[in-house]
């Protein structure tokens, strides 16, 4: 049975208007009909949740870093009687974590509001955002209190707490949380590797990386960057090669940050040709890529190549920054290009408008020192706008020893003793200078002063890499697991040297 057409029309459309008598009436009627239809279509649209609309507006402010506007918007939301949801809190807390220096009070008020609603304990996403916020603001103990009160934790909340401890240098606490984790992922392991590398415990960082591999968790590019940094500082070239092969195997060779880390690792391990090869195969280069090559050439004694790359970088459209000039100045220092270095320093200050740091002044001091212009180097130290550190003063002090300028060394030592009275290297260097000049009385006085102050000369450490493992040795130390075999080899080498006619040199100078 068919439905009458009139009935169908009444269900979907308004009643037809009266027939117009003229054209004006027709136009008016058409307008009335369209207006009626528009109203009906608008009323049929589903209403949008006001919380979603407000949160979207807040997100736009947060994404642009406009936290005051976001705070004002949140105030209007509350005045309007609208309750924020968990996404609102995550949006605002994440923005506060990105700008920790300006948002501590705002973030704490957000936490208080979330606590009032119970979201920081019952919603793991909100709780994790609070933990991350406090950690990045340096309030890691508040982060731990929040973390402990999250009812049901997930891997994100555990990782947020580990990263919080690592970020604030509390690596032991991070290890404790890591050990309590029910399940670990690449982020968890990477945080631990990064934490030890950041604190300068490079061997420990590599040990954690090995444990990560044994656990079956595959490292990501962030992990590899930390491992390469450890290799660069230890000179662990074998492990660096392994990481490079892994990068090629996993197809992440086009990751710019990984490539930059490879360049830095090879350069600091003395393999500048490998660093150049990585640089030349990069599809996309950044300023960091160029700087790594410039500094790499400089520290390996390739001054001309460093300066050539410095010029090529600018031709490619990259503006040099402070690191670029540090590398170029170091190259001039190693090559003895005093005038070129001083000219670069002036260009950096007056043309590029880059404010010199202590590293730049250190390069100029080293530039003068290597050229034997010790008084000029001292003049730079006395006129530099910041307090000289041990590296800058040590550079000139070493030059004093090379050129036998004991008087200037004594003046420098006064600076050094005020700067770091417990540093053994300064006393030892001055004592050796006196001994080299035949001033045994003064040398003994320096040694006596060290003894009176309770300062002992730190033992030098030698290291060698075998099968991707770094072994360290200290004079007289017999704690190595294979010490017997080591001493057997030393005795064998000693006998071979004796039969070859070698006679050891005797020296009264303690180096």
């Amino acid at each position: 049975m068919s439905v009458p057409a009139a009935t169908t029309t009444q269900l979907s459309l308004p009643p037809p208007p009266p027939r117009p008598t003229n054209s004006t009436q027709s136009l008016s009627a058409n307008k009335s009909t369209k207006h009626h239809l528009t109203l009906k279509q608008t009323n049929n649209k589903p209403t949008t949740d006001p919380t979603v609309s407000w949160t979207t507006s807040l997100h736009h402010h947060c994404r642009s870093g406009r936290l005051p506007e976001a705070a004002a918007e949140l105030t209007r939301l509350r005045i309007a009687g609208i309750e924020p949801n968990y996404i609102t809190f995550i949006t605002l807390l994440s923005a506060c974590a990105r700008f920790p220096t300006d948002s501590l009070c705002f973030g704490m008020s957000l936490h208080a509001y979330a606590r009032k609603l119970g979201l920081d304990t019952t919603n793991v996403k909100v709780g994790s955002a609070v933990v991350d916020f406090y950690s990045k603001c340096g309030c890691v103990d508040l982060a731990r209190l929040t973390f402990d009160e999250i009812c049901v934790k997930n891997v994100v909340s555990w990782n947020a707490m580990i990263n919080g401890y690592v970020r604030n240098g509390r690596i032991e606490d991070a290890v404790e949380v890591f050990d309590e984790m029910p399940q670990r992922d690449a982020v968890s392991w990477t945080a631990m590797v990064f934490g030890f590398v950041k604190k300068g415990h490079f061997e420990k960082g590599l040990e954690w990386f090995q444990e990560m591999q044994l656990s079956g968790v595959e490292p990501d590019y962030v992990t590899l960057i930390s491992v390469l940094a450890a290799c660069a500082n230890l000179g662990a070239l074998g492990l660096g090669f392994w990481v490079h092969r892994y990068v090629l195997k996993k197809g992440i060779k086009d990751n710019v940050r990984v490539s930059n880390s490879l360049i830095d690792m090879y350069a600091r391990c003395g393999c500048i040709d490998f660093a150049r090869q990585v640089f030349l195969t990069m599809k996309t280069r950044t300023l960091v890529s160029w700087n790594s090559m410039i500094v790499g050439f400089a520290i390996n004694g390739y001054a001309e190549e460093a300066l050539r790359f410095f010029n090529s970088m600018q031709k490619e459209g990259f503006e040099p920054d402070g690191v670029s000039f540090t590398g170029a100045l170091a190259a001039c220092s190693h090559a003895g290009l005093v005038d070129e270095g001083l000219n670069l320093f002036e260009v950096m200050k007056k043309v590029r408008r880059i404010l010199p740091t202590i590293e730049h002044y250190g390069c100029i001091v080293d530039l003068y020192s290597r050229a034997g212009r010790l008084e000029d180097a001292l003049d730079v130290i006395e006129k530099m706008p910041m307090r000289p550190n041990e590296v800058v003063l040590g550079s000139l002090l070493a030059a004093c020893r090379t050129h036998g300028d004991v008087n200037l060394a004594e003046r420098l030592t006064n600076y050094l003793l005020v700067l770091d009275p417990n540093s053994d290297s300064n006393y030892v260097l001055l004592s050796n200078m006196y001994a080299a000049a035949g001033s045994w009385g003064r040398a003994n006085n320096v040694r006596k002063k060290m003894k009176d102050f309770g300062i002992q000369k730190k033992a030098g450490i030698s290291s060698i890499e075998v099968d991707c493992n770094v072994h360290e040795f200290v004079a007289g130390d017999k704690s190595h697991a294979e010490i017997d075999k080591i001493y057997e080899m030393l005795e064998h080498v000693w006998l071979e040297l004796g039969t070859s006619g070698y006679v050891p040199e005797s020296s009264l100078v303690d180096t």
Side-chain angles (χ1 to χ4, degrees):
M1 178 178 174
S2 62
V3 180
T7 306
T8 305
T9 304
Q10 289 175 2
L11 290 174
S12 60
L13 296 174
R19 186 178 296 278
T21 57
N22 52 47
S23 59
T24 303
Q25 290 175 337
S26 175
L27 181 61
S28 176
N30 288 336
K31 287 183 177 180
S32 176
T33 303
K34 290 178 180 178
H35 179 66
H36 195 149
L37 287 169
T38 302
L39 287 176
K40 186 173 181 66
Q41 291 168 356
T42 302
N43 291 334
N44 286 338
K45 285 183 178 180
T47 56
T48 304
D49 185 348
T51 304
V52 176
S53 302
W54 284 93
T55 302
T56 302
S57 177
L58 287 168
H59 172 71
H60 291 312
H61 289 307
C62 293
R63 185 175 59 183
S64 304
R66 300 193 298 267
L67 289 182
E69 290 82 352
E73 190 86 350
L74 180 64
T75 301
R76 289 191 290 270
L77 178 146
R78 299 185 66 182
I79 292 174
I82 299 171
E83 199 73 50
N85 59 18
Y86 76 97
I87 298 178
T88 313
F89 283 104
I90 294 173
T91 301
L92 292 168
L93 287 166
S94 299
C96 291
R98 287 198 302 272
F99 305 96
T101 56
D102 305 320
S103 62
L104 181 59
C105 292
F106 181 37
M108 294 181 77
S109 65
L110 286 171
H111 183 203
Y113 193 11
R115 168 55 62 93
K116 180 181 177 182
L117 300 176
L119 287 175
D120 65 329
T121 57
T122 59
N123 189 295
V124 67
K125 293 182 179 179
V126 175
S128 300
V130 174
V131 171
D132 184 59
F133 157 70
Y134 278 132
S135 299
K136 290 180 178 176
C137 289
C139 305
V140 69
D141 290 325
L142 292 177
R144 182 58 188 264
L145 288 173
T146 304
F147 172 78
D148 289 339
E149 293 184 353
I150 298 176
C151 297
V152 180
K153 304 176 181 65
N154 61 10
V155 68
V156 176
S157 53
W158 284 96
N159 287 338
M161 193 65 251
I162 291 175
N163 277 309
Y165 277 132
V166 168
R167 182 183 300 275
N168 289 274
R170 291 170 57 171
I171 192 68
E172 294 81 8
D173 293 318
V175 173
E176 180 183 336
V177 174
F178 182 90
D179 290 338
E180 295 174 0
M181 284 188 73
Q183 186 178 0
R184 299 145 187 156
D185 61 3
V187 177
S188 318
W189 285 98
T190 299
M192 298 308 304
V193 174
F194 171 77
F196 282 105
V197 172
K198 182 182 178 183
K199 290 202 72 173
H201 304 320
F202 306 115
E203 300 93 339
K204 199 71 176 176
L206 295 182
E207 289 177 11
W208 276 83
F209 177 61
Q210 291 174 344
E211 289 292 329
M212 177 182 183
Q213 292 177 289
L214 293 174
S215 69
V217 178
E218 187 170 329
D220 58 16
Y221 79 94
V222 182
T223 320
L224 299 178
I225 290 172
S226 296
V227 172
L228 287 170
C231 293
N233 282 279
L234 292 173
L237 184 60
L239 183 57
F241 279 136
W242 183 92
V243 173
H244 195 177
R245 287 195 297 270
Y246 184 88
V247 166
L248 296 174
K249 179 181 177 181
K250 294 298 180 179
I252 54 178
K253 62 182 179 63
D254 293 331
N255 186 298
V256 176
R257 293 181 61 191
V258 172
S259 296
N260 291 341
S261 297
L262 283 169
I263 292 172
D264 181 63
M265 183 274 296
Y266 279 131
R268 293 171 69 180
C269 288
C271 300
I272 194 64
D273 288 333
F274 287 136
R276 189 207 302 264
Q277 184 178 353
V278 174
F279 178 85
L280 294 176
T281 56
M282 292 177 68
K283 293 181 179 179
T284 304
R285 302 185 185 111
T286 64
L287 182 60
V288 175
S289 313
W290 286 95
N291 285 346
S292 298
M293 287 304 305
I294 294 169
V295 173
F297 280 124
I299 63 177
N300 283 281
Y302 295 90
E304 293 182 1
E305 283 292 287
L307 295 175
R308 187 173 71 82
F309 266 65
F310 181 76
N311 294 325
S312 298
M313 175 187 72
Q314 297 175 69
K315 292 178 182 178
E316 292 288 336
F318 290 90
E319 292 289 333
D321 63 359
V323 178
S324 313
F325 278 100
T326 299
L329 289 171
C332 292
S333 175
H334 285 285
L337 304 174
V338 178
D339 293 336
E340 290 83 346
L342 295 176
N343 181 58
L344 273 176
F345 190 61
E346 292 301 313
V347 169
M348 182 187 75
K349 292 189 297 181
K350 297 179 180 179
V351 179
R352 298 295 180 180
R353 304 292 183 183
I354 297 175
L355 189 65
T357 64
I358 194 166
E359 287 77 18
H360 299 119
Y361 284 107
C363 288
I364 298 300
V365 170
D366 191 57
L367 183 72
Y368 279 131
S369 298
R370 288 174 181 267
R373 296 169 59 173
L374 305 186
E375 290 294 337
D376 289 330
L378 181 61
D379 186 59
V380 172
I381 291 176
E382 292 175 340
K383 293 181 179 179
M384 57 194 289
M386 70 282 294
R387 187 178 182 181
N389 60 16
E390 187 177 3
V391 176
V392 175
L393 294 171
S395 173
L396 181 52
L397 187 60
C400 289
R401 179 182 180 182
T402 302
H403 295 278
D405 195 332
V406 178
N407 293 328
L408 182 56
E410 289 178 337
R411 292 160 60 188
L412 280 176
T413 305
N414 294 330
Y415 275 107
L416 286 165
L417 296 182
V418 172
L419 183 66
D420 188 4
N422 297 317
S423 174
D424 66 310
S425 60
N426 303 327
Y427 290 98
V428 171
L429 185 56
L430 184 60
S431 174
N432 290 343
M433 288 186 63
Y434 285 139
S439 301
W440 299 106
R442 290 182 177 183
N444 290 331
N445 288 337
V446 173
R447 295 286 183 173
K448 184 177 183 300
K449 187 178 293 186
M450 288 180 65
K451 185 176 181 180
D452 294 340
F453 290 163
I455 301 172
Q456 293 183 349
K457 179 184 176 183
K458 296 177 184 177
I461 297 176
S462 301
S463 64
I464 185 172
E465 182 191 11
V466 181
D467 296 332
C468 295
N469 292 314
V470 177
H471 303 266
E472 292 187 343
F473 300 93
V474 180
D477 182 20
K478 296 186 178 181
S479 60
H480 195 277
E482 299 189 35
I483 192 65
D484 293 336
K485 294 182 179 179
I486 293 172
Y487 272 95
E488 286 178 11
M489 179 56 68
L490 285 175
E491 290 178 3
H492 177 72
V493 171
W494 181 257
L495 291 172
E496 289 290 328
L497 287 171
T499 56
S500 300
Y502 172 76
V503 179
E505 296 179 1
S506 58
S507 174
L508 297 176
V509 180
D510 185 7
T511 55

